[in-house]
């Protein structure tokens, strides 16, 4: 039976967050936990609504971003029929010309809901995590990585109970990333990024390209360096 979009997310082992009011979303977008300590500025917020653009326009935008970053990326548009995400991983592998289903990955954004507007500056409010479809995100491992990211910012460690990493979906995710469901991409984002160590063993991997019908292939070594990704064991 074909999976519904929410079912695919649950297969990653992630709880879902109901989208809050739009005004709150935009405020959060300016507070999302940040790689360089600044608010999410131009790229994500300015991209809000990009999910409504056509695949070719998004493809052109993403190609320009990849070129600017000097990435040897490949952007491939897939037909809307049959629906890509209703197909098996083996079908998707063959459609993309990937070498194995292990190359098929997904970018997800998680928020530490224990933080609020009054929290200590520098805490990781939101993080973009890239995982394989064949693996399951492990929340406790992810929390340890987030704690390490904060320690690297010279912040005192918080207790485990001060972390509740919840998946952002729908309007909440789009307000921060500018990308709709199944379209989230690292291109153009200013979020701390965590790459599953299983992906780091691959030469390249596929993930969302900014539009639900657009897929992005990245060279793994290039992506880690360019996006300053933290490679860590975050799956089970």
């Amino acid at each position: 039976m074909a999976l519904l979009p929410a079912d695919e997310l649950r297969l990653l082992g992630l709880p879902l967050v109901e989208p809050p009011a739009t005004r709150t979303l935009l405020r959060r977008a300016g507070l999302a936990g940040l790689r360089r300590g600044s608010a999410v500025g131009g790229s994500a917020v300015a991209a809000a609504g990009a999910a409504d653009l056509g695949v070719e326009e998004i493809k052109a935008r993403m190609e320009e971003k990849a070129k600017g970053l000097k990435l040897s990326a490949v952007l491939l548009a897939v037909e809307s029929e049959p629906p890509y995400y209703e197909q098996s991983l083996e079908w998707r592998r063959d459609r993309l010309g990937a070498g194995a289903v292990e190359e098929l990955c997904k970018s997800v954004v998680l928020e530490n809901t224990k933080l609020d507007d009054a929290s200590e500056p520098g805490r990781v409010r939101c993080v973009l995590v890239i995982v394989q479809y064949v693996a399951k995100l492990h929340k406790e491992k992810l929390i340890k990585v987030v704690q390490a990211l904060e320690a690297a910012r010279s912040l005192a460690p918080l207790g485990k109970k001060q972390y509740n990493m919840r998946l952002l979906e729908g309007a909440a995710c789009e307000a921060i990333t500018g990308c709709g469901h199944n379209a989230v991409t690292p291109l153009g984002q200013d979020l701390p990024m965590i790459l599953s160590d299983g992906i780091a063993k691959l030469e390249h991997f596929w993930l969302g390209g900014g539009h639900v019908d657009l897929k992005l292939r990245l060279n793994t070594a290039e992506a880690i360096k360019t996006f300053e990704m933290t490679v860590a064991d975050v799956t089970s």
Side-chain angles (χ1 to χ4, degrees):
M1 182 176 66
L3 294 175
L4 297 173
D7 293 326
E8 288 213 55
L9 296 173
R10 291 190 181 95
L11 285 178
L12 292 172
L14 303 173
L16 304 182
V17 170
E18 292 297 327
T22 301
R23 181 172 56 186
T24 303
L25 297 178
L26 294 177
R27 175 168 50 81
R28 283 183 177 178
L31 294 170
L34 311 169
R35 184 163 57 225
R36 298 180 181 86
S38 60
V40 171
S43 59
V45 176
D52 296 327
L53 300 177
V55 63
E56 289 303 322
E57 186 170 356
I58 295 293
K59 183 172 184 287
R61 289 188 179 190
M62 293 301 156
E63 286 176 338
E64 189 65 25
K65 290 181 184 294
K67 182 180 178 181
L69 293 169
K70 299 181 180 179
L71 292 169
S72 56
V74 173
L75 282 149
L76 177 66
V78 296
E79 300 81 1
S80 56
E81 293 294 337
Y84 178 88
Y85 286 103
E86 292 182 8
Q87 312 308 312
S88 68
L89 292 180
E90 290 75 17
W91 186 95
R92 300 183 207 179
R93 173 201 62 200
D94 295 342
R95 175 65 187 85
L96 299 176
V101 293
E102 285 76 13
E103 294 179 12
L104 308 182
C105 304
K106 184 177 185 71
S107 300
V108 292
V109 177
L110 293 102
E111 177 188 19
N112 181 6
T113 62
K114 294 291 186 177
L115 299 180
D116 56 29
D117 297 354
S119 296
E120 185 178 10
R123 293 291 174 189
V124 177
R125 177 78 171 262
C126 293
V127 62
L128 186 148
V129 185
I130 302 175
V131 293
Q132 297 164 296
Y133 273 101
V134 296
K136 183 177 180 180
L137 187 64
H138 193 289
K139 286 179 61 178
E140 292 187 1
K141 289 182 178 180
L142 176 62
I143 288 173
K144 290 181 179 179
V145 177
V146 171
Q147 288 174 318
L149 289 175
E150 293 180 340
R153 300 176 179 180
S154 300
L155 294 171
L158 297 176
K160 182 179 176 181
K161 292 184 178 180
Q162 296 303 308
Y163 296 90
N164 182 40
M165 306 305 295
R166 298 288 301 275
L167 177 73
L168 287 183
E169 66 160 358
C173 184
E174 186 174 344
I176 289 176
T177 65
C179 301
H181 181 58
N182 283 329
V184 177
T185 179
L187 289 173
Q189 306 300 335
D190 190 18
L191 292 167
M193 299 185 192
I194 298 172
L195 183 77
S196 171
D197 61 351
I199 303 170
K201 301 172 184 177
L202 304 173
E203 180 179 354
H204 48 245
F205 60 97
W206 289 88
L207 68 171
H211 187 285
V212 66
D213 295 328
L214 187 61
K215 308 307 161 198
L216 170 68
R217 191 186 78 175
L218 291 174
N219 174 279
T220 307
E222 286 183 354
I224 292 171
K225 180 179 179 180
T226 300
F227 297 112
E228 301 175 22
M229 293 177 174
T230 298
V231 178
D233 176 11
V234 291
T235 62
S236 57

